[in-house]
């Protein structure tokens, strides 16, 4: 990552308006149609959450805003994206794992499976370091969730996705997903474009 002058980016006005805010985070929730994603998971034997993480990262990869993130008092530009997932460890706890995004879904799957298995076995978090803009995720399939308003600590400004259990709606499967984001990184309209892109990635998924 490298520092950039906000004035040279489209986020200049947002940087000026929101960097000094006490709580600059925004949370939006949208209900997605995950019917095709679920069908592809069952047909291919690939994990549903892995497919969702790949679609989430691929949708972000198509938006330049996701490569910019406020870190401390600076605006930083990243060249690569990753997804962070919460992993249940063999000892009964949880820890986190960064998975680098790859356009090649097979490569992403290999990394996802090997790295999460590493964290599950060791109980230690896996962190890719400062070279990646990381999209946080948390899946809670034990229960249905309408929305999740996250706690802003002032430490991590990364975008964060949360979802719970899928819902059946006639012959369709639906899943509300909450996105928390720093207002310097995204505006509400940007988040809405991201949601549309994420739905498109799920609908366009192929075997």
């Amino acid at each position: 990552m490298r520092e950039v002058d906000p004035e040279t980016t489209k986020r200049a006005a947002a940087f000026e308006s929101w960097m000094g805010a006490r709580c600059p985070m925004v949370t939006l929730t949208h209900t997605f149609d995950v019917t095709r994603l679920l069908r592809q998971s069952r047909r291919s034997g690939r994990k549903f959450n892995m497919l969702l993480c790949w679609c989430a990262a691929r949708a972000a990869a198509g938006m330049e805003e996701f490569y910019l993130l406020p870190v401390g008092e600076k605006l930083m530009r990243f060249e690569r994206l990753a997804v962070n997932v919460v992993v249940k460890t063999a000892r009964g706890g949880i820890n986190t794992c960064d998975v680098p995004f790859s356009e090649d879904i097979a490569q992403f799957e290999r990394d996802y499976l090997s790295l999460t298995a590493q964290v599950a076995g060791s109980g230690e978090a896996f962190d890719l370091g400062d070279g990646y803009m990381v999209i946080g995720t948390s899946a809670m399939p034990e229960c249905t969730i309408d929305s999740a308003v996250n706690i802003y600590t002032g430490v991590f400004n990364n975008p964060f996705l949360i979802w719970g259990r899928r819902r059946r709606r006639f012959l369709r499967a639906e899943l509300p997903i909450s996105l928390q984001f720093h207002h310097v990184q995204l505006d509400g309209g940007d988040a809405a474009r991201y949601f549309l892109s994420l739905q498109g990635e799920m609908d366009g998924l192929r075997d």
Side-chain angles (χ1 to χ4, degrees), residues 17-203:
S17 298
W18 291 98
M19 279 304 291
R22 296 185 65 182
C23 186
M25 309 303 285
V26 181
T27 300
L28 298 180
T29 301
H30 178 70
T31 299
F32 290 85
D33 183 340
V34 295
T35 308
R36 182 166 183 81
L37 194 70
L38 182 59
R39 185 181 303 130
Q40 290 298 313
S41 173
R42 289 172 174 170
R43 286 178 177 175
S44 65
R46 287 173 162 162
K47 292 179 179 292
F48 177 87
N49 281 347
M50 184 282 294
L51 292 174
L52 180 49
C53 286
W54 184 81
C55 288
R58 195 164 194 264
M63 296 178 60
E64 63 178 298
E65 289 86 357
F66 276 91
Y67 292 89
L68 295 170
L69 187 73
V71 179
E73 300 298 320
K74 301 176 181 179
L75 186 63
M76 310 300 291
R77 185 184 299 277
F78 296 78
E79 301 299 326
R80 296 172 290 184
L81 300 180
V83 177
N84 180 272
V85 297
V86 178
V87 179
K88 292 183 179 179
T89 69
R91 301 171 186 173
I94 60 172
N95 220 321
T96 59
C97 177
D98 289 347
V99 182
F101 170 65
S102 171
E103 286 281 351
D104 181 352
I105 191 170
Q107 180 61 55
F108 182 82
E109 180 182 32
R110 286 192 292 271
D111 291 336
Y112 180 99
L113 294 176
S114 64
L115 293 173
T116 55
Q118 173 185 315
V119 172
S122 69
E124 298 179 359
F126 178 76
D127 184 352
L128 283 169
D130 294 335
Y132 292 80
M133 203 298 296
V134 178
I135 301 168
T137 70
S138 181
M140 291 175 278
E142 296 83 5
C143 62
T144 55
I145 297 173
D146 292 323
S147 183
V149 179
N150 304 317
I151 299 174
Y152 171 60
T153 65
V155 177
F156 301 109
N157 295 330
N158 304 61
F160 199 84
L161 297 166
I162 295 180
W163 60 88
R165 181 185 299 168
R166 299 182 297 271
R167 300 171 178 176
R168 280 290 180 187
R169 192 75 64 188
F170 300 106
L171 298 178
R172 315 299 293 176
E174 295 182 346
L175 182 65
I177 300 178
S178 293
L179 168 66
Q180 177 183 255
F181 57 92
H182 196 293
H183 219 328
V184 167
Q185 185 178 40
L186 300 172
D187 293 322
D190 299 320
R193 284 195 297 118
Y194 174 70
F195 281 157
L196 290 174
S197 181
L198 176 52
Q199 183 67 71
E201 292 295 341
M202 291 190 284
D203 291 343

